Amino acid sequence: VDAFVDALQLFGIGYSWAGPMSLAVPYDLRRSRNLPLPFEGGTLVRFAIGLEDGADLRADLAQALASALA
């Protein structure tokens, strides 16, 4: 998950406060919720989508995933 987020080029890293920029942040549900999870693991990527072009954001997500899986 960290490699994926680090490979993002258009997304900043951080929590959104309703700004115009797209952001991503690794989010560990086990640390923030005291509930059983319906899946293994526990780290997700939380996205806040800003005003950048949708095609550019999708391309960034695709290259980051390819980079993290390589």
Side-chain angles (χ1 to χ4, degrees):
V1 170
D2 289 337
F4 169 75
V5 172
D6 288 343
L8 292 168
Q9 297 174 3
L10 295 180
F11 288 83
I13 299 174
Y15 291 98
S16 174
W17 298 104
M21 297 175 55
S22 293
L23 300 170
V25 66
Y27 191 73
D28 188 349
L29 290 176
R30 293 173 297 183
R31 296 175 78 182
S32 64
R33 304 275 188 238
N34 193 15
L35 300 171
L37 298 176
F39 52 85
E40 293 296 320
T43 304
L44 306 174
V45 178
R46 184 176 186 169
F47 293 100
I49 305 301
L51 299 176
E52 297 88 354
D53 182 71
D56 291 341
L57 293 174
R58 287 190 297 276
D60 192 27
L61 291 169
Q63 69 79 26
L65 184 58
S67 175
L69 295 176

